[in-house]
Each structure stands twice: as structure tokens, then as C-alpha cells.
Amino acid sequence: MNNKTGLLTGGLCVALLSGCNSDPQVLIGYSANQLCSRHFISDEPVDFIKSRVIPEALATLPDDTQIHVDSGNHVVTLSAAIDNEIITRTSVYREGFGCTLLFDLTKEQLRAQTAHVNTPEASPSAPIDKAVNSNLTLDKFFKTNQYDYAWSDNTFAVAVMHKGKLVAEQYDDHHHGDTRVLSWSMAKTLTALMTGVLIDQGKLALNQTVSFGQHGMTIKNLLNMSSGVKWAETPDIHGYEDLAPMWYYHGNSVEYVSALGKEYTPGSRFEYATGTTQLLSSAIKTASGGSFQTVNDLYQSHLFKPLGINNAVVEFDEAGNFRGGARMFLTIHDWLKIGELFINQGRWGDQQVVPESWLTEVMMSPGVSKHYGAQLWLNDLQFWLPKLPKDTVSLRGHRGQYVIIIPSKQLVVARFGAYGSVVNQNIGLANKRVFSAVVDVLKQLEK
């Protein structure tokens, strides 16, 4: 490990999720999980992940940290000596269910959870139509990259769909249109789509009350990020946060959130919280039937299959909660399909996958915040970018994952990468750069 890099990134604060966390136990769990998922699901080389995806985390750990990738058994283990104690974290890959950190279970016990779940056989996704426009350049998405990782946008892939066809795409050496890429918080939008499927089936209701510990709120409160739970998505002035500990220090995300205190009346204010989406994920699992099988059937058979998405992966925590707030893997081309579903008002081919009203009246309409609908970002950048159409909506994930949808222009743009720590701490500026590049794409298309 490069000590100079360690000093640089450590001094800038390790940007793991939405904020910073230097707890070595969290960093070890985070690193093990990322190496496992991105290597075994996304097929990214281990050295690439270490140098281009998680260098800040590794630079903050001791130089003698041991990393073991067992390709035969699909297991990644990290060990480090912290204050004279050896801390070890293991992440285990399960076919069809991605990687899960171990806390209380052995890898055999974890794999037993899904041993009898019937999953569709993974196969290449149905291809999307292409009408490549050789005059369309995507260089603006890539030009802000710099050699120094901390200040780099670190773009991996950009793909553009216009009027239902792929018109342009550009990749680095490790990604292509069929690479399954990590959603981070873009998963929240897929979780809301699942909610719409269940409401259409009569298994959930928008105003239905659900309870978690001392908390009670409606499904709508959860969708609109207004659960009432006291939550710190990023570190507060005392350095306290909930996001990283929930994922990398505890094996049960729903139990973690349920035990937190109450801060406000549900529905009274907007509070972006991945923990809120984890409560929604739990409500979805219960409504689907409460098992690995029923929730797997929900997203694979009722959401992905109609779109020809045949090898998507949804990850789970050790307790069996699907990580609907952050951890889904779809191919880059399949992310375009998700965007196109909004343009098609919930239809794909001859099938209405989710009701049109669910998209237009719930997900794409303001909730508690005028800039946030139901697990979906609305147009919050038009003040800075007046040429951005008013109906722009977007899925956004940590460290630079975007699916930007402009229904009036029949345009979907997907961008994936791994923002360096400085870029990620100035996410507003990074958002402006990406959306400005989308405006540039529009300009080129409308010449």
C-alpha cells in the first residue's frame, strides 16, 4: 500500500457511503463487501477494485492488512491488527443473491438460507434496439477525470437511449454494456417500483400503517423519505452516523433502524435516509409472503422479467433483509430499460409492468419535498441549468451512479463510476457536471 496515498486520502476523510467513517471495523467490512460484490458480480479485477473503487478505505487501514480472495469458494476475507486485536470480516457470494457480510453465521449457515430457493436461471438480458449516432460524443462525461484519484470523477461507463434505442455508449477498459454494475442508492427507485407492483396486486396500500419497534408510519411516509426515525445519513458535528454502521457493523439492517429513536412526526418533513428505505424493503418482503422465495419472485418475475432483465442481482444482509436501499446489480443496458419504463408510463411491450398512475402520481410527483417523489429525485438542478427540461427525474447512487430520465425528450442517460473522495464531498458540483453533460447530449441530438 502506498503510504503517501494513505496520508492523502486519510487526511481528506474516507468517503464510504454518503459521508465519512474511519472506524476500522466498518472499513474492513466495507472493503470485504465491495471486493466480493464487484469481483464476483461485476467481474472487475481485484487490483482494479483496490486502486479505482476502494483506495481510500484501504489507505486508512494498516499497511499489513491481509486480503484473501478465494475464487473457488467465492469468499473474500480481510484481516487487520487494530489496537493489538485482529479484526476479520468475511463476505460470502451466493449465486443469484450476491455477497453478504458474516457476523453471527458461518458461510455454510448463510448459504443454507437460500439453498432451496428456486431462482430463474441467469442468462444474458434481452438486447436493446440500437441506432448508434456516430456524431454524438460523450467526451464531456469523461473529461473531468484526473490522474489523482481523490480529485477524479473516475468515469467507467456512459450510455444513452433516445426514442427507445441505444444511440451512444462509451466505456473504460473494464466495463461494457453487459457489465452488471452496483446501484448504490439507485436501488431505492427499484424498491419503489416493487412497491407499486404489490399495491397493484392488492398486497399493500399507500396509506397502510406499518410498525417497526416504537415507530409507526405509512407506506407513503416511507416512500417520501418521511419516516420520523432519527437518522444520520452523513456524520453530524460529533461524527455520529448511521449508514455505514448499519451496513458494515450489524447483520440486521431492519433491526438496527427499528431500534433508533423518533425525531419528528412521520410525514411532517423530508429526511433522506437509507434506513427508511430498509424499513420499506421489510414491508415489501412481508407483503410478498415473507420469505426469500416470495421476495425473489417479486423482483425477478414481476419486475425484471417483463423487461428482459435476466441476470440482475439483489443483495441481502445476514438476517435475510434485501438491501433495497443500496445494493442491486443490473447491466448498464438494463439500467437504460428502467429509465425507459418511466418514459413508457410503466409499459414494456404489451405488458403494463407497473400502473401508469403509480409512476406519474406517486413516484414522479412531489412528496414532502418538491425535489423528491417516491424514492426518486425530481428536477432539483433547473435553477443552475435552465436548459434542463422541467420533467427531468433521476435515480442517483453514491459516488457517481446516475440514470437520468427526460420523458418529454424520450431520453435516458446512464453514468457509472467511482468518484474520488474530494469529488464525493462536493456532490452538488459533481451533479451539476453530469447534468450539464446531459444538456450537452440534448443539444447534440437536437441539431
Side-chain angles (χ1 to χ4, degrees), residues 267-313:
S268 65
R269 83 182 201 204
F270 173 79
E271 184 73 40
Y272 186 88
T274 298
T276 290
T277 310
Q278 281 310 109
L279 298 184
L280 178 61
S281 300
S282 179
I284 288 171
K285 182 179 178 182
T286 299
S288 74
S291 70
F292 275 99
Q293 185 68 67
T294 59
V295 75
N296 183 79
D297 289 346
L298 171 65
Y299 59 75
Q300 293 290 5
S301 299
H302 296 285
L303 179 59
F304 295 147
K305 184 178 179 181
L307 278 65
I309 297 175
N310 301 327
N311 56 8
V313 172

Side-chain angles (χ1 to χ4, degrees), residues 75-86:
V75 174
V76 173
T77 301
L78 264 71
S79 296
I82 307 294
D83 296 331
N84 298 317
E85 178 185 358
I86 300 298

Side-chain angles (χ1 to χ4, degrees), residues 41-55:
I41 302 173
S42 302
D43 295 322
E44 293 173 347
V46 170
D47 286 343
F48 172 84
I49 301 167
K50 290 162 64 176
S51 64
R52 298 283 300 281
V53 180
I54 60 170

Side-chain angles (χ1 to χ4, degrees), residues 270-400:
F270 173 79
E271 184 73 40
Y272 186 88
T274 298
T276 290
T277 310
Q278 281 310 109
L279 298 184
L280 178 61
S281 300
S282 179
I284 288 171
K285 182 179 178 182
T286 299
S288 74
S291 70
F292 275 99
Q293 185 68 67
T294 59
V295 75
N296 183 79
D297 289 346
L298 171 65
Y299 59 75
Q300 293 290 5
S301 299
H302 296 285
L303 179 59
F304 295 147
K305 184 178 179 181
L307 278 65
I309 297 175
N310 301 327
N311 56 8
V313 172
V314 176
E315 289 192 331
F316 288 71
D317 66 18
E318 189 185 61
N321 304 298
F322 80 89
R323 299 172 74 181
R327 305 288 300 189
M328 301 188 191
F329 292 77
L330 280 68
T331 73
I332 293 164
H333 286 173
D334 286 342
W335 282 112
L336 292 176
K337 294 177 185 177
I338 296 297
E340 190 69 13
L341 186 67
F342 283 85
I343 292 175
N344 293 340
Q345 298 179 318
R347 291 191 67 83
W348 195 266
D350 60 357
Q351 185 169 346
Q352 192 74 40
V353 182
V354 290
E356 177 183 347
S357 60
W358 180 255
L359 298 185
T360 58
E361 298 173 21
V362 180
M363 293 188 68
M364 300 172 74
S365 294
V368 179
S369 167
K370 67 179 181 179
H371 294 310
Y372 198 83
Q375 307 285 301
L376 182 72
W377 289 99
L378 309 183
N379 191 348
D380 59 338
L381 292 169
Q382 197 179 39
F383 176 82
W384 304 103
L385 298 168
K387 293 183 180 180
L388 193 66
K390 292 181 180 180
D391 62 338
T392 302
V393 298
S394 57
L395 294 68
R396 299 184 201 171
H398 168 64
R399 303 192 68 198

Side-chain angles (χ1 to χ4, degrees), residues 245-263:
M246 177 184 73
W247 287 142
Y248 307 114
Y249 200 76
H250 295 269
N252 188 328
S253 57
V254 174
E255 183 179 87
Y256 178 91
V257 182
S258 300
L260 296 174
K262 183 175 180 179
E263 187 171 21

Side-chain angles (χ1 to χ4, degrees), residues 6 76 99 110 205 417 444:
V76 173
C99 290
L110 182 78
Q444 294 181 66

